[in-house]
Amino acid sequence: MSIQNRYFFYTIVFALVVASVITKSYLLFGLSLVAGIAIGFITELYDNKRDEKFKHYNAKHQYKH
């Protein structure tokens, strides 16, 4: 996932949080919280998938994250 896509999704979550604060809606705030967690997991999954093919280099050089 490119960095522009990641920031686009984070901007959507930020907009949802701002909208929930303005409308004082707990339902919208809860949905934005769930959406933020889901987007965080999805972006982490894509980042790990992208780096998976290079993990053998880390093991070879004993690089720890």
Side-chain angles (χ1 to χ4, degrees):
M1 175 172 290
S2 71
I3 204 154
Q4 290 93 3
N5 288 342
R6 183 184 313 167
Y7 288 142
F8 172 73
F9 289 126
Y10 292 157
T11 303
I12 290 174
V13 171
F14 180 74
L16 283 173
V17 170
V18 169
S20 66
V21 169
I22 289 172
T23 61
K24 297 178 183 172
S25 169
Y26 288 115
L27 178 65
L28 189 58
F29 185 70
L31 289 174
S32 64
L33 183 69
V34 170
I37 292 171
I39 288 173
F41 278 125
I42 289 169
T43 56
E44 188 68 23
L45 178 75
Y46 279 115
D47 284 344
N48 285 342
K49 191 187 318 181
R50 180 193 65 204
D51 296 338
E52 191 70 33
K53 57 187 168 188
F54 300 109
K55 279 190 177 180
H56 66 279
Y57 293 126
N58 294 340
K60 180 180 177 184
H61 299 290
Q62 298 176 355
Y63 178 75
K64 307 264 190 285
H65 287 277

